[in-house]
């Protein structure tokens, strides 16, 4: 066949129309091919969905298993505190278990407090000192194990790993500072001794001086500090108690000077009633022998009180709000006034003093010193630097007061007191009291002592 013939035959073959049978056969092939492709796609999708479902179910099973392990209200397995397994227990059960199986603190450990200077020793156990295990803190730590990570899988891995090897915790010690201070206070009670001052004693006209003695005092704060520093070491130890020696403020040597009368005064009470004389006698007896140490302030009211019949006082005339009435202890102001004048002569510091509302018969204006319970007092401060002793008595119808001590002024010093009217009204008068000071007869100073106003009606 020639080339031309072949071309003609090919062209004729291509362009020849398909028969109906051929068309039907071709359609069937296309449909089957599409169906096969769709089936393959459906199978692929099913396989993918099945795998995803399997993975999801596996993940859900794993999550359920994890939650079954983690979502419990107990401590996870094999968690130990001080070698006691509290895994699987609630917090309350774990705390009860630890408290029942472990002593709160080793009782054989002690702290011995010593002071070798005078052979003192006292021992306290750690339990006495308030040391104990912090079981509650340890249980909380044990419960929190495996719960602090936000990632469930990491928590699960940590818990499961611990299930095999165990988690070991130690309970820390806690300290009760109150108990430590209480124990140290017991030591202070054993050791502390107040110093004793030498004192003047005046009896039956004779002055004696008592002996002094030293004291000692524990440095409580430092002892507590040292104790708290030793306890965490967790072994028995000694504490050398720091003790301060306390010297008395006044010793016998402080009283070894030539005592002399540095101020005195005598006030006549004349023919007073028996009740008034009784009150003068009681007040004088209370005042007699009183000592005033250097820098100390003496309260006349404290000395005379209480004003009651049990103290020996009787009802007698006294000024109350400007009126003369019968009052318990009436008349004692004559003793306080005599003491005031003796103190002025001794040139002591007058810390507190009040005049009567009206002039009294036994004292001139400005020289009196009234008392009234807790409201008005005569207070005298010892500014001499040496101890003073007050002597008081009733002699020959007079209240006699003297103050003995060391004369700190030169022998040429003399005093003169005088009062001066400074104001006068229809109902009152005011006087000022002055002191003139002479050195070897020469006036060197004039000092105003007080200003006193009295009702005249």
């Amino acid at each position: 066949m020639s080339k031309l013939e072949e071309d003609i035959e090919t062209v004729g073959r291509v362009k020849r129309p398909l028969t109906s049978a051929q068309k039907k056969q071709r359609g069937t092939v296309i449909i089957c091919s599409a169906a096969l492709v769709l089936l393959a796609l459906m199978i692929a999708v099913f396989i993918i969905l099945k795998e995803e479902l399997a993975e999801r179910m596996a993940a859900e099973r794993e999550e359920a298993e994890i939650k079954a392990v983690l979502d419990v209200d107990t401590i996870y397995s094999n968690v130990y505190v001080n070698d006691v397994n509290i895994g699987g227990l609630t917090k309350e059960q774990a705390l009860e278990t630890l408290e029942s199986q472990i002593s709160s603190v080793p009782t054989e450990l002690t702290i011995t407090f010593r002071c070798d200077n005078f052979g003192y020793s006292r021992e306290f156990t750690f339990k006495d000192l308030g040391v104990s295990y912090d079981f509650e803190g340890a249980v909380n730590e044990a419960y929190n194990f495996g719960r602090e990570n936000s990632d469930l899988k990491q928590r699960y891995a940590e818990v499961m790993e611990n299930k095999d090897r165990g988690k070991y915790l130690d309970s820390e010690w806690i300290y009760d500072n109150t108990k430590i201070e209480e124990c140290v206070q017991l030591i202070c009670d054993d050791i502390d001794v107040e110093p004793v001052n030498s004192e003047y004693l005046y009896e039956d006209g004779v002055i004696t001086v008592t002996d002094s003695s030293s004291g000692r005092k524990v440095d409580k704060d430092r002892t507590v500090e040292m104790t708290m520093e030793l306890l965490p070491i967790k072994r028995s130890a000694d504490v050398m108690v720091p003790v301060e020696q306390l010297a008395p403020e006044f010793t016998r040597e402080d009283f070894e000077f030539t005592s002399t009368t540095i101020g005195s005064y005598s006030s006549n009470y004349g023919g007073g009633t028996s009740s008034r004389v009784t009150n003068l006698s009681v007040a004088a007896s209370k005042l007699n022998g009183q000592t005033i140490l250097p820098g100390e302030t003496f309260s006349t009211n404290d000395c005379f009180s209480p004003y009651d019949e049990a103290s020996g006082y009787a009802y007698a005339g006294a000024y109350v709000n400007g009126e003369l009435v019968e009052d318990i202890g009436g008349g004692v102001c004559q003793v306080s006034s005599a003491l005031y004048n003796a103190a002025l002569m001794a040139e002591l510091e007058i810390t507190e003093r009040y005049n009567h509302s009206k002039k009294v018969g036994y004292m001139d204006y400005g020289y009196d010193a009234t008392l009234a319970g807790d409201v008005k007092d005569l207070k005298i401060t010892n500014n001499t630097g040496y101890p003073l002793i007050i002597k008081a008595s009733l002699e020959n119808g007079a209240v006699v007061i003297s103050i003995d001590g060391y004369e700190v002024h030169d022998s040429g010093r003399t005093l003169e007191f005088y009062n001066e009217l400074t104001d006068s009204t229809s109902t009152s008068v005011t006087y000022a009291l002055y002191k003139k000071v002479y050195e070897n007869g020469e006036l060197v100073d004039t000092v105003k002592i007080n200003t006193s106003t009295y009702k005249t009606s």
Side-chain angles (χ1 to χ4, degrees), residues 65 75 92 97 172 218 237 239 312 335 382 415:
E65 291 175 358
I75 297 166
E92 293 75 14
T97 299
E172 295 296 327
V218 172
V239 169
V335 181
N382 181 357
L415 306 176

Side-chain angles (χ1 to χ4, degrees), residues 13 16-29:
R13 188 168 56 247
R16 186 181 302 136
L18 297 175
T19 66
S20 60
Q22 288 175 326
K23 290 180 180 179
K24 185 177 181 179
Q25 182 180 9
R26 177 175 289 184
T28 301
V29 171

Side-chain angles (χ1 to χ4, degrees), residues 79-311:
V79 177
Y80 293 78
V81 170
N82 291 19
D83 295 328
V84 175
N85 192 344
I86 57 174
L89 303 179
T90 65
K91 285 185 176 182
E92 293 75 14
Q93 292 169 338
L95 189 58
E96 291 175 1
T97 299
L98 292 176
E99 290 175 344
S100 64
Q101 295 190 28
I102 302 175
S103 172
S104 60
V105 70
T107 55
E108 70 276 6
L109 296 181
T110 61
I111 296 290
T112 301
F113 296 86
R114 296 169 48 198
C115 189
D116 294 342
N117 289 343
F118 44 93
Y120 177 82
S121 177
R122 183 161 183 173
E123 183 179 273
F124 293 99
T125 66
F126 276 38
K127 185 176 182 179
D128 294 333
L129 293 163
V131 181
S132 61
Y133 282 116
D134 183 13
F135 289 141
E136 187 173 346
V139 166
N140 286 332
E141 184 181 359
Y143 183 82
N144 290 333
F145 169 72
R147 287 181 165 86
E148 295 176 339
N149 197 319
S150 60
D151 189 296
L152 284 180
K153 288 186 178 181
Q154 291 183 10
R155 284 179 56 194
Y156 180 74
E158 184 179 13
V159 170
M160 296 309 292
E161 181 182 2
N162 177 72
K163 189 174 182 180
D164 296 329
R165 67 182 185 183
K167 177 69 173 179
Y168 293 86
L169 303 172
D170 288 323
S171 176
E172 295 296 327
W173 280 5
I174 54 177
Y175 308 94
D176 186 341
N177 292 351
T178 300
K179 285 191 173 294
I180 295 173
E181 291 180 357
E182 288 174 353
C183 289
V184 173
Q185 183 58 55
L186 292 175
I187 295 166
C188 294
D189 294 342
D190 289 343
I191 295 177
D192 287 356
V193 176
E194 290 295 324
V196 176
N197 288 320
S198 289
E199 292 182 331
Y200 264 145
L201 293 182
Y202 179 69
E203 188 174 0
D204 298 330
V206 178
I207 297 175
T208 58
V209 179
T210 63
D211 288 328
S212 63
S213 61
S214 298
R216 58 180 180 246
K217 185 175 182 62
V218 172
D219 186 339
K220 182 178 179 180
D221 292 342
R222 181 56 187 142
T223 304
V224 169
E225 288 176 4
M226 291 191 293
T227 304
M228 295 183 68
E229 290 168 0
L230 285 175
L231 291 176
I233 300 175
K234 299 185 179 181
R235 62 170 181 263
S236 297
D238 289 353
V239 169
M240 302 305 296
V241 181
V243 178
E244 177 188 3
Q245 296 300 313
L246 303 179
E249 186 177 2
F250 301 102
T251 65
R252 180 178 287 275
E253 289 72 20
D254 294 316
F255 292 84
E256 289 180 349
F257 58 88
T258 302
S259 179
T260 186
T261 298
I262 62 173
S264 63
Y265 193 83
S266 177
S267 175
N268 293 323
Y269 56 83
T273 65
S274 60
S275 295
R276 189 173 189 280
V277 174
T278 295
N279 293 336
L280 295 178
S281 178
V282 171
S285 66
K286 285 175 172 285
L287 186 59
N288 189 45
Q290 292 289 328
T291 59
I292 312 177
L293 296 176
E296 185 178 22
T297 297
F298 175 81
S299 166
T300 308
N301 256 336
D302 289 348
C303 176
F304 288 177
S305 297
Y307 299 100
D308 53 31
E309 291 178 313
S311 299

Side-chain angles (χ1 to χ4, degrees), residues 261-442:
T261 298
I262 62 173
S264 63
Y265 193 83
S266 177
S267 175
N268 293 323
Y269 56 83
T273 65
S274 60
S275 295
R276 189 173 189 280
V277 174
T278 295
N279 293 336
L280 295 178
S281 178
V282 171
S285 66
K286 285 175 172 285
L287 186 59
N288 189 45
Q290 292 289 328
T291 59
I292 312 177
L293 296 176
E296 185 178 22
T297 297
F298 175 81
S299 166
T300 308
N301 256 336
D302 289 348
C303 176
F304 288 177
S305 297
Y307 299 100
D308 53 31
E309 291 178 313
S311 299
Y313 289 112
Y315 280 87
Y319 279 112
V320 177
N321 296 323
E323 299 294 329
L324 185 61
V325 299
E326 290 290 306
D327 193 18
I328 188 75
V332 298
C333 290
Q334 185 166 0
V335 181
S336 62
S337 295
L339 175 62
Y340 176 54
N341 283 268
L344 291 178
M345 295 299 298
E347 297 192 82
L348 303 179
E349 179 184 350
I350 308 302
T351 309
E352 183 178 341
R353 171 263 175 188
Y354 301 91
N355 61 278
H356 288 78
S357 56
K358 287 187 174 181
K359 182 181 180 302
V360 292
Y362 53 82
M363 286 287 172
D364 199 358
Y365 295 107
Y367 290 89
D368 59 320
T370 190
L371 304 175
D374 296 331
V375 180
K376 295 180 179 181
D377 196 0
L378 171 64
K379 292 183 179 180
I380 302 168
T381 298
N382 181 357
N383 56 356
T384 68
Y386 295 88
L388 301 174
I389 188 164
I390 302 172
K391 299 176 184 179
S393 62
L394 301 187
E395 300 177 15
N396 302 319
V399 177
V400 180
I401 307 288
S402 65
I403 301 174
D404 288 2
Y406 183 75
E407 182 56 75
V408 296
H409 301 104
D410 294 337
S411 59
R413 183 181 180 94
T414 57
L415 306 176
E416 178 186 345
F417 293 88
Y418 68 97
N419 59 8
E420 185 177 273
L421 179 65
T422 60
D423 191 28
S424 178
T425 70
S426 60
T427 58
S428 67
V429 291
T430 300
Y431 278 82
L433 182 65
Y434 293 92
K435 174 178 70 175
K436 288 184 177 182
V437 180
Y438 296 88
E439 297 287 354
N440 299 318
E442 181 180 349

